[in-house]
Amino acid sequence: MIFRRSYTFNTNKDADKLKSALLGKHLSIHNIDFEIFDKDGAVKVIPHAENDETVHTLPITELKFSQQGKNTIIKMKSKPRRIDIGGIQLTLAFSFFLFLASIVIFLSLKNSYSNVSYILFGLSFVIFYCSLVSYGARIL
């Protein structure tokens, strides 16, 4: 998906000690509560910001620990919560329909409304790009 990110970290600490230090904890960062628990062998970090009006999107983060000799490899994957993804999908659908309208106007009305089709195309591109950037997607 567009809005998923993954990172890999290496540390010389023991994987079991890291898991036990994290599991069952509640962290408070910038007055937002994060719950850490174990699910299917992975450590999940879930934000609880449903009642906070200042925060719009927060990711669900999954940590997987694998011990390799004395080192531990931590794979971190994050994705938006289901309640946060709706706004992203609406703006992307809107920009798609603007793009489609610009093509239809350009092909059907030829020279009489070509400026309108160019404006709609540019507007759809700007909305698409800005929505991806503002929601934290990686742009090549």
Side-chain angles (χ1 to χ4, degrees):
M1 287 281 302
I2 297 173
F3 302 103
R4 294 179 186 225
R5 291 183 180 218
S6 60
Y7 301 99
T8 303
F9 303 101
N10 293 323
T11 183
N12 58 1
K13 308 229 180 207
D14 186 43
D16 294 328
K17 288 181 183 178
L18 287 171
K19 273 187 179 181
S20 64
L22 290 173
L23 290 177
K25 304 284 185 188
H26 278 268
L27 296 176
S28 181
I29 300 172
H30 298 291
N31 297 324
I32 300 170
D33 182 43
F34 292 89
E35 181 182 358
I36 302 172
F37 62 92
D38 186 19
K39 184 176 181 182
D40 300 329
V43 176
K44 292 243 182 183
V45 181
I46 308 289
H48 294 287
E50 289 82 15
N51 299 327
D52 194 354
E53 296 295 327
T54 60
V55 177
H56 299 290
T57 58
L58 287 172
I60 294 174
T61 304
E62 180 180 285
L63 302 170
K64 289 187 180 183
F65 298 91
S66 60
Q67 189 75 36
Q68 292 187 350
K70 293 183 178 182
N71 291 335
T72 301
I73 296 175
I74 304 168
K75 292 184 180 179
M76 182 177 83
K77 295 180 181 178
S78 63
K79 63 180 181 178
R81 300 178 298 169
R82 287 184 187 171
I83 61 174
D84 294 335
I85 202 75
I88 300 168
Q89 291 173 343
L90 283 175
T91 56
L92 293 178
F94 179 72
S95 66
F96 172 74
F97 286 122
L98 274 178
F99 174 73
L100 198 60
S102 71
I103 290 175
V104 167
I105 289 172
F106 184 77
L107 293 177
S108 65
L109 300 177
K110 304 285 182 200
N111 294 333
S112 59
Y113 289 98
S114 62
N115 288 341
V116 173
S117 65
Y118 296 145
I119 291 170
L120 286 179
F121 177 76
L123 191 61
S124 70
F125 179 75
V126 167
I127 291 172
F128 180 78
Y129 182 78
C130 290
S131 65
L132 289 180
V133 170
S134 69
Y135 288 114
R138 291 185 201 169
I139 305 292
L140 297 177

